[in-house]
Amino acid sequence: ALLIGVGVPAASAGDIIRGQQIFQINCAVCHAQGRNVIMPEKTLEKEALEKYLYSGYTEEAVVRQVTNGKNAMPAFGGRLGDIDIENVASYVIDMAEAGWEK
């Protein structure tokens, strides 16, 4: 029997390493280590993402937030390509799962 996808997180559609690089350049100024320097309660921790993201704790919800922005967060849809945004979302979810301790 062939097992497809064993050991691959289902939530990770993007390239986490590339997502980390893009995050460091574009997001870390406000969100270093999963924090939020503008609105401290709205971190990138799993619980905060579940509470504050429009569709909850999913990669798709992170993609929507990064693409469109919300409140103090600017939209990156015109600055980053779709694949880059997907990679950032994969990185954010991966780090949130790890409690930003990697």
Side-chain angles (χ1 to χ4, degrees):
L2 180 62
L3 298 174
I4 298 175
V6 173
V8 177
S12 184
D15 179 336
I16 292 169
I17 301 299
R18 182 69 184 128
Q20 178 184 22
Q21 295 166 341
I22 297 161
F23 182 92
Q24 293 303 327
I25 294 166
N26 295 280
C27 313
V29 69
C30 291
H31 292 292
Q33 298 176 327
R35 295 186 183 100
N36 185 329
V37 298
I38 307 296
M39 301 178 86
E41 71 281 4
K42 294 186 177 182
T43 68
L44 300 181
E45 298 287 338
K46 183 176 181 179
E47 297 76 21
L49 294 174
E50 288 170 345
K51 182 175 181 179
Y52 294 113
L53 284 183
Y54 176 73
S55 318
Y57 180 70
T58 66
E59 245 181 74
E60 294 78 20
V62 175
V63 166
R64 177 183 291 139
Q65 180 84 10
V66 173
T67 302
N68 300 318
K70 185 177 176 186
N71 300 323
M73 181 174 162
F76 284 84
R79 297 186 235 182
L80 296 174
D82 292 345
I83 301 236
D84 287 340
I85 292 172
E86 289 172 16
N87 292 340
V88 167
S90 294
Y91 171 72
V92 167
I93 293 294
D94 183 63
M95 292 302 291
E97 280 294 319
W100 289 87
E101 295 294 325
K102 288 187 175 184

